[in-house]
Every structure is written in structure tokens, then in C-alpha cells.
Amino acid sequence: MILIEDTITALATPAGVGALSIIRVCGPLSFEATDKIFKGKKLISESDSHTIHYGKIISLDGEQIDDVLVSVFRTPHSYTGEDSVEISTHGSQLIVQKIISLFLDNGVRLAEPGEFTKRAFLNGRIDLAQAEAVADIINSRSDASLRGARNQLNGLLSQKVDSLREELITTSSLIELELDFAEEELEFISLSKVAESISNIIYEISELLKTYSFGRVMRDGVNAALVGKPNVGKSSILNYMLKESRAIVSEIPGTTRDVIREEVVIDGILYKLFDTAGIRFTEDIIEKEGVFRSRDAVKAADVVLFINDIETGFSLDLYNELLELTSDDRIIKVLNKVDLMHGEHFNADVKISAKTGLGMNELYHLLNEKAIGSSNYSEKTAIVSNLRHFEALKLAKKQLESALVSIDEKLSGEFIAVDLRNAENSLSEIIGKVTNDDILNNIFSKFCIGK
Amino acid sequence: MRYFDVIVVGGGHAGIEASIAAAKMGCSVALITMEKEAIGRMSCNPAIGGSAKGHLVHEIDSLGGAMGLIADKAGIQFRTLNKSKGPAVWAGRSQSDRKYYTIEAIKAVSETPNLEIIEDSLMDVFEEDKKITGIKIKSGEEIKCKAVVLCSGTFLNGLMHTGMTSTEGGRYGEQASKGLTESFTRMGFVSGRLKTGTPPRLHKDSIDWDKLEVQPGDDPPLPFSRRTDKSKFPYLRQVPCHITYTDLEVHRILETGFDKSPLFTGVINGVGPRYCPSIEDKIVRFADKERHQLFLEPEGLDDDLIYINGFSTSLPVDVQYKALKKIRGLENVNMVRPGYAVEYDYFPPYQVDLTLETKLIEGLYFSGQINGTSGYEEAAGQGIIAGINAALKIQKRKEFVLKRSEAYIGVLIDDLVGKSTNEPYRMFTSRAEHRLLIRQDNADRRLYKYGYEFGLISKELYDEMKVNETSIAVAKEFFTKTKLTPEIINPILENSDSSKLQFSETVDKLLKRPEISLSSIIKHLPRNGKSEIVETLEKNPILAEQLEIEIKYEGYIKRQEELVLKMDKLEDVQIPLNFNYVKLKTLSAEGREKLNKIKPRSIGQASRISGVTPSDISVLLVYLKN
């Protein structure tokens, strides 16, 4: 059995070079240990909560390591609920390593992956759904994904699910009433009323489930594939978008025949762009692999940008092949090179010029619409963005539907109750009213170190 | 100095089961009761069973207990409740002849070897190093023992109220136990106060029976116990009950007594049951209801008393009487005895373990109303568990705890210990999350194995159950392999408004149709090959019923079984008894307090404790992992 008695530390910002790095220290020794290595105007152990202190980190042999800012958080007003400090240093891995080792020399141990959040959870600072949201925030790479996670951290989903659960419990209790008090002269609820109430909960769950595509997009981003014949301008469109994007995330290395993946953030949404090499089968063994990958990318894509240019016109044959891999409603038909002014104008969804930027805004708008639908979720809407929640809701819906089947078959209340109880458990699992090992293990294993 | 292995205090329904079980298991047992004639006395209504309580009776019977047999012998009406619902909530209920009930109960106790009845009352219990060593009774005698099972019902500091008049006593005409609570609180136990009530008793000749609705029993009546001699059952003449109603005028008269109601004026401090409110409570809480249903139940065949179920009250006598006279059929009623409320001490049941042994004193067991339950069946269910465990402990054998998925008794005790009721606890089928699995019809298949293991169920019965179990398996197999042709089955389907077949279909599939019963197709089943199984089913309708239930509701039953497996994972995570919750600052304040108080044995038990949050459970899981 461990008790939260030890003090832990870890780098709280991503490893690597940045302008600043933040080291977090949590636990009873936080202030004491900091005072041993930090020289500022005032002792940290004597400072108020939520104050920031400038000073120097100095090693045991007097080496001055860095100028830092120390933020003080006193229990219970910290992220984990314990005494805690955050040290902002200059962004250098060497400095960070040195400071952390200084802490380790002073009775602090290195945090395990996800341990800060685990402590926050254990201290009752956040509930299960919120703990998961933290994992999402940590991993978020776009404004939208941050918004979604914040939404969950604020407990909107928990509130919504809780109210559905309450409603379900109410319905169940009406059924139980009849089973346990059959002898009494009571007005029992009619099965059609029960069915109505269950249908209503199913509807509400379906609405929540619908937000998942949006929620997932917010969380994971949109998979978009660019497909088109050679030289229609796929690369120039991609480059244009990369230039527009404020955050170029990465390029997945590979040969030119492989699928090239770029990540761009447009209007706060993360797009994972796959520049496909070609989706037509070929005899070329090396190319064959690329074709397979491209076809997989198209299959997995939420949106396919089907690029044509004004010179070659609409490639009907390629379009037909595309339809074998994805559905029409996922395809945006793009006509490129409209700056050339001559050639075939067909009925495209959007006409652009990657060279001049003409129509690109309209393309972004279309992408946005295809990706998240026209639905306009406000900050106040509960959004499902987590796969576990999505699955639990789906299961609850299935269980409620099977309760409806029991009603339809005119079975007695205790059979209806089986599914209602199960559905209640499914909903409870989302908000952590019932918990089991598996959920916890899964959640805690997802946390990155030091966050 | 006399010595007994086990001393059972109290001859009520808990005491009967505890003493008989422990004695049959080979312990020397003394049953201490103030009055031998009071053994098995029905303090409240003369009925056994009812929704979920019927299940308890079947379970007690399947563990080898006495209640089912006694109720069968003393029954003057038997009904199966909820027959229009599914088989999991079918529940037997009987009206008993109060006099015969006690006669049979006394006989059951007296005929048990190793069991001695001592007419006296408990004064004190002795312990050494937190281990029970003996008791002292009123006569001054000290008796040594290894275990004490306390089943004192409503007698601990019992106080009866009618209007503003309070009388000390545990039951009409019987003394209360004074001073006992105090000696237990001195040992460190915490006591609480509960309240229950009983309606007036009426003289049967003063009732205008022709004006009342008749509620007959089932014909033929079904006994509770599988051990009851079918050729002699029913033992007594069967009689109906009657139904009448209150009306607004009755309510108005009752209201005139509210200023002298011990309930409303704060004289009564004990918490009463919400599910069994007094008539004055009903009028206040359900003000828009214009009438309340009342059942007139005979207390016995040659008994002049009629019990008016639904009219429990502690209003002043004159108000009770005036109101009764306005009820249809009771215009000329003779109220032989007024209703009263009784307040009594109980020990909030977090202080006992799942074996019903107290956590504080080894060898001391509490069972029945002392643990905060109401009802004969709840008491008896605890009694048999306490008796069995007292014997097992003395014999240094493994303790006996029933799981929630195994029996209502398991649900009952788990609820008591974990939720530590602060109102009288009554069993309901909805308390059992695995309701479809723990039915009356399969009580023998659930529990005979334990009854047999403890020597409370005969080998003969156990073997018979095993044979039946095999028959069910054989029949299931036979039904999944045997097909009926459209020619044979279609006329039956047509009769039952079921869609007709084009091709042959297995018996199993046909039985899954809600509208098709086994009895309607059994005579069309092929008799060649495994024909004996069909004959077995025809000869044994109870077996056929079990089989049919299991086939018809297979899908639902499977789903519940899956749930049990899932829950069992949490039940299997053991928490050490010495687990230090106080040191765990991470637990919620309430959760920590409750966990420390109850000291659950498993995460499953912990998760059901009210006030313990899911976060607390997660905390425990995380800590237990490390």
C-alpha cells in the first residue's frame, strides 16, 4: 500500500527545445526541497499560495544553473490537491535535467506516467470523466480539441449523462413499484408510458452519439485524402495549406511513392492530409505498396479532396474507382488551376487556384462542413469525444432498445428491468458511479509522464 | 454450572431457526424464552410470505429451516402473488392460524435433539478478551457457552403507544427487556431506536361480511416447503380474506386524533418503515387519495380475532374505534384490541459481519429485528444464517456467507451490513439485482448443496434435486435436437395465436415464443429414443415448470449471469480486515468514516456502502493494487 506521502517531480512541458520548460513538483516536500536549490528574495516555504517568485537555481557546489520563476500552490488549491510548485526555466534539456536531478537529490522522486493526474483523481480534485479529459488536453494539438476536452473537464458530459441516468432510474422505479407492490391499490404506470420514457432517453443518447463525430474530430482531427491524376496540382494545394497553417506539425517520412501525411490546423481544426500517390493498381512492385497504402488512406478518410484541373477536365474513370473506396458524400470535387481561364469548367464543388489562392477559403469552408457537419455545437453542448464514452453510450442505447423489445413482446416488468439496470450501469460507467479495474487501468495507462 | 455450545435468546422466528439449525448441526443448544407458549408467536399479521418474502421462506426451507414447514401446517389460505408477472417475481403468501403456528413452532423446537428450552430471560452476557463466555439469566443462574445468538425482536426497551398513553412492553400483554441494551452499550455497541406498528383486532362476529369483497385463496393451494407431505396438504380448512376501504369520512375522523397522535406530536422518536406506514401517515402523505384498501384477515379458524391489514395506527383508542365504525362492513364493529405503535432498541447492523457475528465480541451473533429488519421472514432468514455460523465456528469449520447472486438472504445480510439501515428493513424483489436468477422455483437448486453440507437437508432430498437437475439438462438437450413438423404443431400454434410454421422447428425455439407453453405441446413430443424424459416431465410438473422458465427466458438469464461474473470480479478483490482507512487521506470524509465503520471484506461490498463514492472505490482499487 502506498500512501501519498512522497514528493514527485517531472517535466510538465514537452521534452525538446522550446523557449521555456516547466518542471512540476508535488507533495509535502515541495517547498522545502525547492528552498534547498532556489535562491530568491523570499523562502518558498514562507510564500503564499498563487504567488510567483523570481530567483536562481543553484546546485550544491554553488553552480548557478538558471534564472527561473517559481509558482507556489498550497494544498488544497493545486492541481493535485497537494503542496506544489512549478518552475519555469529556459528551454534547455540540459537545464531541465540538472534541476530535476537536484530535486532527486533532495528527497523527491521522479513521477510515474500520469501520476499527477492520478493524484488529482485520488484526492478527489477531478472525477473519472474529467481525468480522461486531462489526458485529452495533454494530447490535444488544435484549438478545437482543446475546446472539446475543456468542455468535458467542465463536466458538461457528466451532467448530461447523470441527468439521463436519473431519468432512467425514475422509469425503473416505476416498473419496480408494480413488481413489489402488486397487492396495493396503486395506479401503475402503463407499459406505453414506460416505452415512451425509454424512447426519450434513447433519443437523447442518440443525440449525444451524434456529437461523437464532431467530438472525435475535435480530439483527433480530420483525416483528409487528396486524390487526383498526376499534375493536377495536389502538391501545390498541399503546400498552400501548409503555408496557411499556423502549426506545421510533422511530415511522416517515406519514399515519394508512399502516402505523404501532413498535419495542418485550419480554423482551429486539425487536418491530417494524405497526399496519395495513386489508387490505381499497377504492375510495378514498388508502386504496388504505395497504391495499397493510398487506397487504405482513402478508405480511412473522413473527407476526400478529389482534385481535377481545368486542362484535363473531370476524370470520370478515377472518380468511379474512388466511389469503390469511399462514399460520394465524403468527396469534395475540386477544380484547380482556374487561373488559367481556359479549358473545361465542369460542375465542381469548389473552384480554386492553388497558385493564386483563389477559392481556397471556400475550400476550407467546405472541408470544415464535411468534417464536422453543419451542426453548430455551442460551448454549452455536451460533446462525446472519448471512445470509451462513445462505446458506453452505444451499449446503453442497445440495452434500452432491447428493453423496448421486451415491452413489445409484452413481457413482465422484471425482464424490462434487466435491460434498464444494465443501461443504468453503462451510463454510470461514464461518470464513474460504478467503477472497475479495467476502466481505471485503461485510463491511467493513457497518461503521459509529468502531466 | 450448566454449559451449552450455543445459547439462543428469543423464541421468535429468528430464534427458532437459529436454535434448530445449530442443534441439528450437532451443537448443544439452549433456547431462552420468557414464555414457552410464545415461541413462534405472530406479533403482527398472521401471514407468512408475500412479494420477496415468499422467496425468503423458500430459501430458508432449502437450507433446511423450519419456517416453510410450519407455515404449511398452519396455513388457512395460500396464494401465489404476481402470477400475472414473470416467474422471478411469483411469490407465495399464506394466512396462518396463529394458534396452530405457535403449536407447530413449539413442536419443531421441542422435537429437535440437543435443543433445550429454558423459560427465563437474559440479564447479562459475559465476555473475556472480547470473546463470549456465558450469560446470566433472571433466575440468577449463570450458564457457560461458546456462542450467543441474540434474537430479542422488539423487546429491548420496548415501549407501546396508543394515543398519548405509553406502556412498557415488547408485544401486547408481554413485558419488555429492560437493561439489556445498556449492558451491550457498556460493551461498546451503539444502539438506535426504531418504530413499528400494528392495527386493531376486531371481533369476527361484529363484521357484516356480506358487504365485503371476498379474496379467496388459490385452488389448489401450493405449499412453501418441498418437504411438506403433499398427501396431507393443506392440513387445515382453507378460508378467504375480505377487502374493504376507508373513505374521506373515515380520514376526517382519524384527523381529529392527530393532536393526540404520538407519531405527530413527537412522542415517538423511533424511525418507522416507509413501506408500511400507519393509516394516519398515509392520510397525511397521500392527501389526494380518497380511499385506502384494507384487508380483513382471520387470525385463525376458531379464533374470534380479525386482523385489519392496512390500518396500523397509534391514534387514541376512541378515534380508532370511531373511524372503524365508518368503514363499510364495520358499522357495528367490536374492536377487541386497539392498534398500537411499538418503539424498540436495535443495534445498527454495521456492527455485525456477513456471518451475523458482531465485530466487537467474538461468538456473539445478532439476528432479526435487533438488526433493524421487519418481518418474520427477514428475521428467520437471519436466524438460520446466525445459527449455522455459530455452529460452524464452534466446529472450527469455514464460515457460511451467501452471495447476492445466490439468494435473497445474501442480499438481505449484505444490505444490512453495508447499508446499515436506519429504518426497519424489508425485503423487496427490486433489492436483488440478480432477480431472474434467484427464483422461488430454483431455491432447492441454489441452496440444497449448503443445507446438505451442514446436515440440515437429507441426502435423499439432495439426491432427488440432483436427479432433477440432470433431467433438466437432458430435457434441454433433447429440446434443442427435437423438431416438430408443421403438420403436428400448426394447429396448436393457431390456437395460441402464434404464427404458423412452414418448416419443422425445434421444441426449444417453439418454447421461446411467449405464447407457447410446454403443457400445450408436451403431448406431441416424440416418445421414441429418449422418451423417458418426456414422461419424467409429465410426472413432475414442478420440474417441467423450471425447465420451461429456463428455456423461455434463457436470453435474460444469460444476461444476468454475465452481470454476476462482472460483479464477482469486484467481490473477489479482498480488503484486509485491518486495512487502515483513517490513514488514507485521499478518501472522501464520509467514505472514510463509513468504510472504517463497516470494514467491508471486498471491493464489491465496499462499493455498495452508501456514502462511499466511486472515487473512493477507485482509490481503494489503486491502493490494493500497489
Side-chain angles (χ1 to χ4, degrees):
Chain A
M1 181 168 76
I2 53 151
L3 287 169
I4 298 190
E5 279 169 353
D6 45 359
T7 304
I8 54 170
T9 184
L11 176 63
T13 43
V17 184
L20 290 172
S21 293
I22 296 175
I23 296 163
R24 189 184 264 167
V25 186
C26 280
L29 283 181
S30 300
F31 302 149
E32 201 182 309
T34 307
D35 278 333
K36 282 186 184 156
I37 63 169
F38 171 79
K39 295 291 167 279
K41 277 189 183 164
K42 199 175 171 186
L43 282 175
I44 295 300
S45 47
E46 289 168 6
S47 304
D48 291 337
S49 188
H50 295 76
T51 53
I52 298 176
H53 305 270
Y54 170 78
K56 294 178 191 337
I57 299 284
I58 294 168
S59 73
L60 278 179
D61 49 18
E63 186 197 352
Q64 193 172 314
I65 293 170
D66 196 12
D67 291 358
V68 297
L69 288 175
V70 177
S71 312
V72 179
F73 304 93
R74 287 186 177 271
T75 181
H77 303 292
S78 74
Y79 176 64
T80 63
E82 306 159 282
D83 282 343
S84 146
V85 296
E86 285 176 13
I87 300 173
S88 305
T89 73
H90 291 100
S92 145
Q93 269 180 287
L94 190 65
I95 289 175
V96 168
Q97 269 171 21
K98 280 192 171 175
I99 298 177
I100 289 184
S101 2
L102 280 177
F103 273 114
L104 300 186
D105 290 342
N106 284 292
V108 176
R109 74 166 167 82
L110 211 52
E112 288 163 21
E115 197 171 356
F116 290 116
T117 305
K118 184 162 145 186
R119 287 187 174 198
F121 172 65
L122 291 178
N123 283 326
R125 302 285 297 168
I126 50 176
D127 73 18
L128 211 54
Q130 287 172 329
E132 288 174 301
V134 173
D136 290 345
I137 285 184
I138 290 160
N139 293 318
S140 65
R141 274 169 295 176
S142 68
D143 298 347
S145 109
L146 195 61
R147 216 163 50 226
R150 282 251 164 253
N151 179 313
Q152 191 182 331
L153 191 58
N154 291 339
L156 276 179
L157 181 68
S158 300
Q159 280 167 28
K160 179 75 196 170
V161 172
D162 206 27
S163 79
L164 288 178
R165 184 170 164 269
E166 294 281 317
E167 198 178 331
L168 188 53
I169 289 173
T170 309
T171 308
S172 297
S173 56
L174 291 171
I175 290 180
E176 299 295 354
L177 179 75
E178 182 169 358
L179 295 174
D180 275 328
F181 298 92
E183 287 289 285
E184 317 264 329
E185 204 196 21
L186 294 165
E187 257 184 59
F188 295 118
I189 189 171
S190 70
L191 279 185
S192 63
K193 274 267 162 55
V194 173
E196 199 182 300
S197 157
I198 295 172
S199 304
N200 183 43
I201 300 170
I202 291 178
Y203 170 79
E204 296 274 341
I205 291 178
S206 306
E207 290 298 301
L208 272 180
L209 287 172
K210 274 191 213 157
T211 67
Y212 181 62
S213 58
F214 175 72
R216 194 181 58 84
V217 161
M218 288 203 306
R219 187 184 132 101
D220 299 336
V222 183
N223 291 321
L226 281 77
V227 179
K229 288 191 167 166
N231 300 320
V232 293
K234 292 195 300 271
S235 304
S236 43
I237 293 174
L238 191 66
N239 286 333
Y240 190 93
M241 289 169 83
L242 288 173
K243 208 165 61 193
E244 287 268 287
S245 170
R246 300 181 65 186
I248 299 172
V249 186
S250 65
E251 180 176 329
I252 309 297
T255 70
T256 48
R257 287 185 182 84
D258 270 350
V259 179
I260 294 175
R261 200 184 99 166
E262 303 279 2
E263 294 189 350
V264 302
V265 177
I266 295 168
D267 291 342
I269 290 177
L270 176 73
Y271 288 91
K272 295 169 184 166
L273 299 172
F274 297 86
D275 185 4
T276 61
I279 57 169
R280 294 184 139 173
F281 284 113
T282 148
E283 291 302 308
D284 185 331
I285 290 172
I286 304 170
E287 268 192 18
K288 216 173 189 169
E289 182 64 18
V291 170
F292 272 123
R293 291 192 193 182
S294 294
R295 291 174 75 92
D296 283 346
V298 171
K299 280 186 204 163
D302 302 305
V303 188
V304 176
L305 292 178
F306 180 45
I307 319 284
N308 298 274
D309 74 9
I310 205 159
E311 288 172 322
T312 41
F314 189 70
S315 326
L316 190 62
D317 48 347
L318 190 57
Y319 182 69
N320 285 334
E321 282 187 49
L322 203 52
L323 286 181
E324 287 171 21
L325 300 175
T326 187
S327 63
D328 190 43
D329 60 353
R330 294 194 169 185
I331 300 174
I332 298 177
K333 284 173 254 172
V334 182
L335 180 61
N336 192 19
K337 303 186 188 174
V338 289
D339 55 307
L340 293 181
M341 293 305 282
H342 60 275
E344 192 191 345
H345 281 253
F346 63 94
N347 197 12
D349 297 320
V350 58
K351 293 170 187 173
I352 61 162
S353 165
K355 198 169 156 193
T356 66
L358 186 77
M360 285 304 281
N361 278 340
E362 205 186 327
L363 175 62
Y364 295 157
H365 180 75
L366 271 178
L367 260 176
N368 217 312
E369 202 179 282
K370 283 269 185 227
I372 61 176
S374 49
S375 42
N376 219 342
Y377 296 116
S378 78
E379 300 269 307
K380 295 275 158 61
T381 315
I383 307 279
V384 182
S385 62
N386 176 296
L387 181 64
R388 185 178 75 77
H389 299 163
F390 179 71
E391 291 298 331
L393 283 168
K394 239 170 57 181
L395 184 61
K397 187 178 164 203
K398 201 180 122 201
Q399 287 156 337
L400 289 171
E401 281 163 352
S402 102
L404 284 182
V405 171
S406 305
I407 294 179
D408 205 42
E409 287 181 355
K410 299 195 172 52
L411 284 169
S412 163
E414 70 275 23
F415 297 104
I416 303 162
V418 175
D419 289 309
L420 294 189
R421 213 179 270 254
N422 288 347
E424 186 210 315
N425 281 341
S426 303
L427 293 182
S428 300
E429 277 181 14
I430 295 175
I431 38 184
K433 292 244 163 155
V434 174
T435 180
N436 65 44
D437 248 337
D438 302 335
I439 300 176
L440 267 180
N441 288 340
N442 187 26
I443 292 168
F444 289 130
S445 66
K446 277 198 328 208
F447 291 128
C448 311
I449 184 157
K451 308 290 164 55
Chain B
M1 197 184 284
R2 280 203 279 182
Y3 166 84
F4 293 93
D5 291 331
V6 181
I7 293 174
V8 177
V9 182
H13 306 275
I16 295 170
E17 302 295 348
S19 57
I20 294 180
K24 281 195 177 164
M25 286 172 75
C27 292
S28 59
V29 179
L31 175 65
I32 313 255
T33 171
M34 289 189 196
E35 188 190 342
K36 186 177 171 183
E37 296 307 310
I39 290 177
R41 187 169 286 172
M42 303 176 120
S43 334
C44 200
N45 71 336
I48 296 287
S51 181
K53 290 167 170 268
H55 292 75
L56 287 170
V57 181
H58 278 264
E59 289 176 358
I60 294 159
D61 188 61
S62 294
L63 288 172
M67 180 171 252
L69 287 168
I70 299 172
D72 284 346
K73 286 195 175 128
I76 54 177
Q77 185 193 78
F78 292 84
R79 285 195 303 137
T80 298
L81 307 185
N82 269 340
K83 201 65 194 179
S84 65
K85 311 271 181 332
V89 293
W90 294 347
R93 184 186 190 277
S94 75
Q95 289 297 137
S96 294
D97 183 302
R98 273 165 51 94
K99 200 175 66 197
Y100 276 99
Y101 197 95
T102 49
I103 291 172
E104 292 300 335
I106 295 164
K107 216 197 280 176
V109 172
S110 315
E111 284 172 359
T112 305
N114 305 329
L115 175 50
E116 189 173 324
I117 299 169
I118 299 175
E119 274 190 307
D120 209 314
S121 53
L122 180 71
M123 292 309 286
D124 212 347
V125 295
F126 302 121
E127 49 105 359
E128 251 177 60
D129 300 331
K130 300 280 169 202
K131 226 171 156 171
I132 215 88
T133 55
I135 65 162
K136 184 181 170 184
I137 53 179
K138 210 172 183 178
S139 68
E141 187 189 355
E142 289 183 9
I143 308 173
K144 286 188 104 171
C145 66
K146 283 189 180 145
V148 170
V149 184
L150 191 62
C151 322
S152 53
T154 59
F155 282 67
L156 294 182
N157 291 329
L159 189 62
M160 299 181 293
H161 303 270
T162 300
M164 302 313 276
T165 319
S166 313
T167 324
E168 286 180 0
R171 186 158 54 198
Y172 174 79
E174 293 178 45
Q175 299 166 266
S177 296
K178 300 285 285 179
L180 257 188
T181 307
E182 292 69 20
S183 59
F184 283 106
T185 47
R186 270 198 301 277
M187 289 165 104
F189 287 101
V190 174
S191 72
R193 202 128 169 96
L194 292 177
K195 175 226 128 181
T196 186
T198 195
R201 307 298 199 273
L202 317 176
H203 196 287
K204 73 172 174 194
D205 295 338
S206 67
I207 296 167
D208 196 347
W209 296 103
D210 294 339
K211 285 186 175 170
L212 305 179
E213 270 174 48
V214 180
Q215 188 187 45
D218 288 347
D219 191 22
L222 281 180
F224 285 109
S225 178
R226 282 155 229 263
R227 291 172 287 160
T228 287
D229 187 342
K230 308 274 182 310
S231 65
K232 291 185 185 151
F233 182 83
Y235 289 78
L236 302 175
R237 181 164 56 87
Q238 300 294 292
V239 297
C241 291
H242 291 78
I243 298 173
T244 186
Y245 302 90
T246 62
D247 61 19
L248 289 176
E249 198 184 353
V250 175
H251 298 179
R252 262 202 310 277
I253 295 172
L254 289 168
E255 279 164 9
T256 64
F258 281 9
D259 58 338
K260 292 190 194 75
S261 153
L263 198 63
F264 298 143
T265 52
V267 173
I268 291 177
N269 301 312
V271 184
R274 279 170 301 171
Y275 47 82
C276 184
S278 61
I279 188 75
E280 52 266 35
D281 238 354
K282 286 192 231 177
I283 293 171
V284 172
R285 277 165 50 196
F286 309 100
D288 54 335
K289 258 197 116 174
E290 291 181 7
R291 65 174 200 179
H292 295 280
Q293 200 173 23
L294 304 170
F295 296 87
L296 295 180
E297 302 172 351
E299 295 229 335
L301 290 178
D302 51 4
D303 195 318
D304 290 336
L305 293 186
I306 297 294
Y307 178 97
I308 179 163
N309 196 349
F311 202 81
S312 164
T313 180
S314 55
L315 289 172
V317 179
D318 58 322
V319 179
Q320 292 188 24
Y321 184 56
K322 256 192 267 173
L324 281 174
K325 280 176 111 54
K326 290 293 171 193
I327 293 170
R328 188 180 167 80
L330 307 184
E331 292 83 356
N332 300 307
V333 79
N334 171 9
M335 184 173 79
V336 180
R337 195 191 298 159
Y340 61 88
V342 57
E343 275 187 288
Y344 55 97
D345 292 340
Y346 82 116
F347 295 103
Y350 66 83
Q351 300 172 99
V352 295
D353 200 356
L354 295 172
T355 55
L356 296 180
E357 186 177 17
T358 61
K359 289 169 181 164
L360 209 56
I361 306 289
E362 222 184 309
L364 176 64
Y365 298 76
F366 287 166
S367 74
Q369 272 171 305
I370 193 171
N371 280 333
T373 56
S374 81
Y376 312 140
E377 305 80 359
E378 287 85 349
Q382 292 170 66
I384 195 163
I385 297 296
I388 290 172
N389 274 304
L392 289 175
K393 180 148 192 170
I394 288 167
Q395 294 160 358
K396 299 198 167 34
R397 290 159 71 187
K398 198 175 152 276
E399 64 181 28
F400 177 50
V401 171
L402 283 167
K403 288 198 236 171
R404 295 178 73 89
S405 53
E406 266 180 321
Y408 276 85
I409 297 176
V411 175
L412 168 73
I413 296 176
D414 185 71
D415 276 352
L416 286 179
V417 175
K419 300 194 170 126
S420 201
T421 185
N422 53 11
E423 74 170 322
Y425 178 102
R426 193 203 129 161
M427 187 43 77
F428 293 108
T429 71
S430 52
R431 295 197 197 264
E433 62 272 47
H434 311 297
R435 181 165 50 196
L436 297 188
L437 304 180
I438 50 177
R439 307 180 307 269
Q440 282 193 167
D441 67 85
N442 66 3
D444 56 342
R445 285 163 64 203
R446 290 186 277 125
L447 303 174
Y448 267 16
K449 54 176 180 281
Y450 302 119
Y452 175 59
E453 183 192 332
F454 304 138
L456 302 171
I457 287 288
S458 68
K459 181 164 191 337
E460 194 188 343
L461 271 172
Y462 178 73
D463 287 345
E464 190 187 312
M465 182 274 290
K466 278 300 197 195
V467 169
N468 285 345
E469 206 161 56
T470 313
S471 299
I472 287 180
V474 170
K476 274 187 189 167
E477 163 106 21
F478 178 64
F479 285 2
T480 48
K481 288 193 173 145
T482 309
K483 287 187 172 183
L484 291 176
T485 60
E487 295 80 65
I488 292 178
I489 200 70
N490 275 346
I492 297 159
L493 295 180
E494 215 171 349
N495 267 340
S496 313
D497 266 341
S498 195
S499 55
K500 287 199 274 182
L501 292 182
Q502 281 208 296
F503 307 102
S504 295
E505 184 60 281
T506 62
V507 179
D508 177 77
K509 289 249 170 66
L510 286 164
L511 278 177
K512 285 208 161 70
R513 297 184 175 194
E515 64 278 9
I516 299 302
S517 67
L518 178 57
S519 60
S520 67
I521 58 174
I522 195 160
K523 53 183 173 294
H524 301 283
L525 296 178
R527 306 281 158 155
N528 49 354
K530 284 193 174 148
S531 65
E532 322 95 84
I533 189 64
V534 179
E535 277 154 31
T536 307
L537 292 174
E538 277 174 332
K539 269 187 262 164
N540 192 339
I542 294 173
L543 190 68
E545 185 186 89
Q546 281 187 38
L547 172 70
E548 189 172 358
I549 290 167
E550 281 173 30
I551 292 176
K552 242 185 190 31
Y553 306 111
E554 193 190 1
Y556 292 91
I557 290 171
K558 264 204 185 125
R559 262 180 272 169
Q560 291 233 307
E561 281 169 346
E562 281 161 18
L563 203 68
V564 172
L565 285 179
K566 209 172 147 187
M567 304 276 289
D568 275 355
K569 279 195 194 152
L570 288 181
E571 306 298 325
D572 290 345
V573 183
Q574 301 289 317
I575 307 176
L577 262 180
N578 58 0
F579 193 87
N580 191 342
Y581 298 99
V582 182
K583 256 184 111 181
L584 271 185
K585 287 171 237 144
T586 47
L587 292 169
S588 68
E590 193 189 355
R592 181 167 51 231
E593 188 212 319
K594 291 279 181 66
L595 287 164
N596 194 44
K597 201 160 108 173
I598 292 165
K599 301 204 189 308
R601 298 166 159 222
S602 68
I603 288 289
Q605 195 191 346
S607 71
R608 288 186 293 271
I609 298 172
S610 60
V612 173
T613 67
S615 283
D616 294 335
I617 295 303
S618 313
V619 169
L620 288 177
L621 278 172
V622 171
Y623 282 163
L624 289 169
K625 274 251 153 118
N626 282 297

